[in-house]
Amino acid sequence: MKSKIKYLLILLMTSLGAFGQKINCNKINAIVIKRVPFEIMTAVDVPCDDFEKAFSDKLEIIILRDSLAINKCIYLLSNLELRDSTIYPNIDTRAKIEIYSPKDTLTICLNQFLTIKEGVKYKTSKDLINFVVSVK
């Protein structure tokens, strides 16, 4: 019973945020998380589009199909704080989240400071980092 209540609360919270309104959690087929250790150092910033190529030998791919994990991911993405884009003009990508629904795919890139979704920059939360790092 507690897990069902928790699921319903997460679903309700995700529907309240702007991101949650755009993505209907019930219509997500899967979320794919591509990640490398956040502490990896590179000589240059790794843009989102070059992430897979830059880290092809270190890339770990996780596929989420469980509704609770999907809802938690959407909840965390829905509650990010806007970031001044002049402070961090570029992203040095360490993880990529791809949300697959019947209509389209939404790609989100992040590092320990910055998350970019739909061209908008947000402060990466510790909770989101912990989720991306620990999810199996």
Side-chain angles (χ1 to χ4, degrees):
M1 184 69 175
K2 284 185 180 180
S3 63
K4 188 173 184 177
I5 292 171
K6 185 177 179 181
Y7 171 79
L8 292 172
L9 283 173
I10 290 172
L11 187 60
L12 174 64
M13 289 187 276
T14 59
S15 67
L16 297 176
F19 185 73
Q21 289 173 356
K22 180 164 175 114
I23 299 294
N24 182 340
C25 294
N26 294 325
K27 296 193 179 193
I28 294 174
N29 296 334
I31 294 180
V32 176
I33 298 176
K34 300 175 183 178
R35 65 186 181 199
V36 296
F38 278 74
E39 58 275 356
I40 286 181
M41 302 295 285
T42 55
V44 295
D45 287 348
V46 177
C48 190
D49 292 339
D50 297 337
F51 177 69
E52 288 93 339
K53 184 178 176 184
F55 293 114
S56 61
D57 59 332
K58 296 173 180 65
L59 198 63
E60 184 178 8
I61 299 172
I62 308 297
I63 300 172
L64 304 178
R65 294 190 196 284
D66 174 68
S67 61
L68 191 57
I70 288 172
N71 287 328
K72 183 172 183 177
C73 185
I74 297 299
Y75 172 75
L76 293 169
L77 290 167
S78 298
N79 288 289
L80 297 176
E81 179 183 324
L82 278 172
R83 175 67 102 189
D84 180 355
S85 61
T86 59
I87 295 173
Y88 295 100
N90 300 316
I91 188 165
D92 190 13
T93 308
R94 293 298 180 264
K96 193 180 233 185
I97 300 172
E98 296 169 339
I99 301 172
Y100 292 90
S101 69
K103 291 186 179 181
D104 60 5
T105 301
L106 178 63
T107 300
I108 299 154
C109 293
L110 62 137
N111 66 18
Q112 61 270 32
F113 306 110
L114 187 67
T115 299
I116 298 178
K117 56 183 181 180
E118 299 181 300
V120 180
K121 296 178 181 177
Y122 299 87
K123 179 181 178 185
T124 302
S125 69
K126 291 197 184 307
D127 290 337
L128 180 57
I129 292 171
N130 290 339
F131 178 80
V132 168
V133 168
S134 65
V135 70
K136 304 281 183 209

